[in-house]
Amino acid sequence: MSSNILDDLLNSVRQFLVDVGVGLNPLTIGVTLFVLLFPPLILFVLALNQKDAPFSPPPGCRKFGLVGKSNLSDQYSKRYAEGGDPCAANRWTVKALFIYPIKSCARLELDQSEVVRTGLKFDRQFTFAQQVTGLPTMEGKVESEWTFITQRTFPRLAKVETEIWIPDPKAPGYSEQEEYVKSEGCLLVRFPFTPDTEFTVEGLKSYGKILAAWMSGKPEPMMEFRVPFNPTQERIKEARYRSAEVKIWREKPVALDMANEVPVDTMEKLRYTLGITNPITLFRIDPQNYRQVHKCAPKSQDVGFQPVVGMADSYPLHILNLASVHDVASKLPKGPKRLNALRYRANVYMTGPPAFSEDDWAKARIGDGLYHISCRTTRCKLPNVDPETAVADRNEPGTTMRKHRVIDKGSKSPCLGMQVTPLTQGEIRVGDEIEVLEKGEHFFKSE
Ligand SMILES: *[C@@H]1O[C@H](CO)[C@@H](O)[C@H](O)[C@H]1NC(C)=O
């Protein structure tokens, strides 16, 4: 096969040289071949160059999260449809754990996590926002406000990956003075960006980047930036962070604008990747100013603390029963795709309970922790976005859920999974046992 291609190439070169009348001597053949092969060679060298660009781990930190195969890799197995996991002696257990460090961006899988007031420690402390400007008023005033963005309107957010790096005295470069050590670690953000390709030096380098991505198995080149996970007051002053109101549903918490930690050019490329016309930035919830949760959360006079969240939609923690997902899947119209439980973006995936048994849970023990099961999770269209392709590929599972899962008297939306408020702080691990302590009625409240 390859010798055929070479023969063809040599034959065409011979023919070409005969046609232009310079004759068939080794020198002219050599020069012509060189001219033909030079551009691909340059590209190849450029690609190798890109591939070798060193990725430097944040100093003093190690990568956080599950290493190896996902705990949901066998999620489609029929044995999870029934409830009662034969592998776990019919115990009800935590099957998998996930965080979404930036609201509406890609997930990160864990095998254990610290549980804090706002839920899993690194979950949804950040959100991207766009600056929306209204039309001028009669007096000619123009006002703008920062508004959170989600996959509902910008599905390409699913392509924005995050890593969490946490301080570790054994990690290279560790010192108490290191910025990321002082700020409880580092959030690393990575997104696909295909640079312009044109016939200039920069353009050729872009070809190199694309080829490098392709050689390392990625469909597109990736760009990255890093920000401190929980910046110190010192850092906030030094880098001149600004605080601004950011609109999340009906709330407007004052949050930290992380823009000064991100090169302007990088943020612009991200904006292009997401397909947004307005200016964008990354906000972090201000730990001095968490959003209070009222609605169906436990009352502070009953539990001794005010339930709060970071950038989550409504409650600190979201749990989902794999048997319930299997049940919804069994009712979907026949199609080429299976229902990926990851579409529902839960924190805790559990196995054991029969489908929908969680609908009337009120209080549970998971591992050593106590949890208030605050209300049912009402579902918008977001699960219609395929987390692997970032495309809202069909109106499912939304349509099927509207037929079968409008079950809460307080809401017209379909429900799946439960919203949870931790009553204790501590740890949660994959494999932890789940025990229901109380059951009760639920009635969804939107405010
Ligand atoms: C999932 O979690 C358990 C418990 O931590 C672990 O032993 C198991 O190997 C994990 N992996 C997979 C692929 O299920």
Side-chain angles (χ1 to χ4, degrees), residues 356-361 376 405 407 415-418 440 442:
F356 310 126
S357 102
E358 67 280 13
D359 284 347
D360 63 356
W361 293 0
R376 298 181 181 126
R405 289 293 301 162
I407 54 154
C415 298
L416 193 71
M418 302 303 283
H442 284 290

Side-chain angles (χ1 to χ4, degrees), residues 66 68-74 94-95 109 111 429-431:
L66 179 83
K69 224 170 150 190
S70 165
N71 273 107
L72 280 189
S73 52
D74 62 345
V94 173
K95 168 86 175 136
E109 185 162 0
D111 49 9
R429 297 167 184 281
V430 174

Side-chain angles (χ1 to χ4, degrees), residues 110 151 395:
L110 309 179
Q151 287 180 32
N395 289 319

